[in-house]
Amino acid sequence: MGIFDKLRNEFIDIIEWTDPSADTIVWKFPRYQNEIKMNAKLTVRESQVAVFMNEGKIADVFQPGMYTLTTQNMPILTTLQGWKYGFNSPFKADIFFVSMRQFTNQKWGTKNPVMLRDAEFGPLRLRAFGSYAFRVKDGALFLKEIAATNPEYTVDGINEQLRNLAVSRGMDAIAEAQIPVLDLAAKYDEVSLLITEKIRPEFNELGLDLTKFLIENISLPPEVEAALDKRSSMGIVGNLGAYAQFQAANAMEKAAENTAGGGLAAAGLGAGMGAAMMGQVGNVFQNNQNNPANPAAGAGAGAPPPLPPTAAFFVAVEGKQTGPYDLEQLRQLAVGGSLQAQTLVWKNGMAAWAAASAVPELAPVLATIPPPLP
């Protein structure tokens, strides 16, 4: 402090704090050697208190208003100083202004997932975040417990401690409430109130008051959310058999659209795919009807399942597509001479037409062809 500051402070008798910041909680009034003149004017604005400290001990606390400092309105400081009579000489005291306004939009959140036990899903890891607001409830207690003789104390100085307090006690409150995970999103207000009531006493111990506590989100790990999405999809689908029928019908319709206008070969391919899909649809319908869980299952629900379908082959005869034929029908064609080793055949799943001798599945059929006459 320069010589001019010292001289100016000797003549200044106005003590006040015009707070230009948004995060300062405590501010110490600067005065050379802490000398305050008797009869000085003290102005305490709304949302402030002024705390006088003498030799490290908290003395008088002034609420909002304008005061002329005398021994009459400083009873505790007068007692500590041992003044028996009024006088006009300067006295020494530390003057701290404490902001009593709310500090809003303070963020909190879990750094790591917190393990909880859910009645429906068992052990789960949860993340949560939100915001809270607080204010100083007791300026003298806050100075004693937290700020001490720090000439300027901001929100950053205590925010980390308050966030840790909010997270640890908040997650305890969620666990004790035993609210199912799937119902948490609908009960953010109730959970926020539970957390507020749980941690407010600990704020009060620091001279603070928790005025608002909000939960913005409670989330599960990505893999658990993906599993829940699948479970929800199954619930929406309902009857899986009916859904499979619907999907198969759509596939048939698309196959017909793709083969339309594609000529004889495309028509043959479409016919083959259509036949195969019809077989699949038949299986789906049969399985759905025989499914005990299907309420539409008739009296035949106890019958044995149908035999598996045989392969359906198409045969090129004189440059034209014929079929489809099962293995027994192909055996008859082989006996009649319509199916030879070099005859082109195709079935669903083959990339292109191929000679019958190149299809291992037709080896038993070709074996029935009689040898040529001597």
Side-chain angles (χ1 to χ4, degrees), residues 197-216:
E197 296 302 321
K198 186 176 183 65
I199 65 179
R200 176 172 281 159
E202 298 194 44
F203 272 63
N204 295 160
E205 292 175 1
L206 304 176
L208 302 174
D209 184 28
L210 178 64
T211 58
K212 186 75 68 176
F213 188 92
L214 299 176
I215 298 175
E216 297 178 20

Side-chain angles (χ1 to χ4, degrees), residues 24 46 60 76 98 114 149 161 178 247 265 267 295 303 305-306 341:
T24 303
E46 290 290 344
D60 299 286
I76 299 178
V98 181
V114 178
T149 58
Q161 179 180 352
Q178 296 183 348
Q247 292 289 80

Side-chain angles (χ1 to χ4, degrees), residues 260-275:
L264 182 60
L269 179 61
M273 294 179 64

